[in-house]
Amino acid sequence: MKMQKLGKRISSGIKSESGTVESALVLIPTVLLFLSVLQIAASVLGRGVAVNLIQGEVSREALLGSSQLSQSTDSLGTDLSRIQLPGGGAIIIGSKEITIPRLTPLIISQDKFLTSGIAIDEN
């Protein structure tokens, strides 16, 4: 008997649609706002991390001098170029295109930017 009453309460609660429109009208803009703020934070953080990574790779190349090519690509896909200096040494320039993933449906395309780093090799 108690199971039947419980079953009727559950089925009437499922069939009842009171409050669903109001919660959707609040929830959808709130989620969009949250994803947009998260997209801004991810873009700013992604740019900072990308610049630090590229500069680190270029500095490592200048210190270790692993490749003596005029144009090379390292294992992470960074384009490294060396400009030889007349008195010895080289200027090393590294660049890479970075893509930040799209988190919010309000942005049409992904955030793409080109980052670069520079270092001087004195060897």
Side-chain angles (χ1 to χ4, degrees):
M1 191 68 168
K2 289 184 181 182
M3 292 300 281
Q4 289 177 346
K5 288 182 182 180
L6 181 63
K8 286 182 182 180
R9 262 198 232 159
I10 291 174
S11 65
S12 67
I14 291 173
K15 291 178 184 178
S16 173
E17 296 182 11
S18 62
T20 58
V21 174
E22 292 84 6
S23 62
L25 289 176
V26 171
L27 188 63
I28 292 171
T30 304
V31 169
L32 288 176
L33 178 67
F34 174 74
L35 290 175
S36 298
V37 170
L38 191 62
Q39 180 72 50
I40 292 169
S43 294
V44 171
L45 182 65
R47 287 175 188 265
V49 168
V51 168
N52 286 337
L53 285 175
I54 297 300
Q55 186 61 46
E57 290 177 31
V58 172
S59 297
R60 191 174 306 111
E61 176 71 21
L63 290 172
L64 301 177
S66 61
S67 69
Q68 296 297 325
L69 302 174
S70 61
Q71 179 77 23
S72 68
T73 303
D74 71 351
S75 62
L76 296 177
T78 303
D79 295 327
L80 296 174
S81 61
R82 289 179 169 266
I83 302 171
Q84 296 298 326
L85 297 173
I91 296 175
I92 303 172
I93 301 172
S95 63
K96 184 175 182 179
E97 184 174 316
I98 306 292
T99 303
I100 304 293
R102 187 175 70 116
L103 300 174
T104 179
L106 299 177
I107 295 177
I108 296 171
S109 65
Q110 290 183 330
D111 185 16
K112 291 183 181 180
F113 59 93
L114 184 67
T115 183
S116 60
I118 187 169
I120 298 176
D121 182 10
E122 296 180 1
N123 295 331

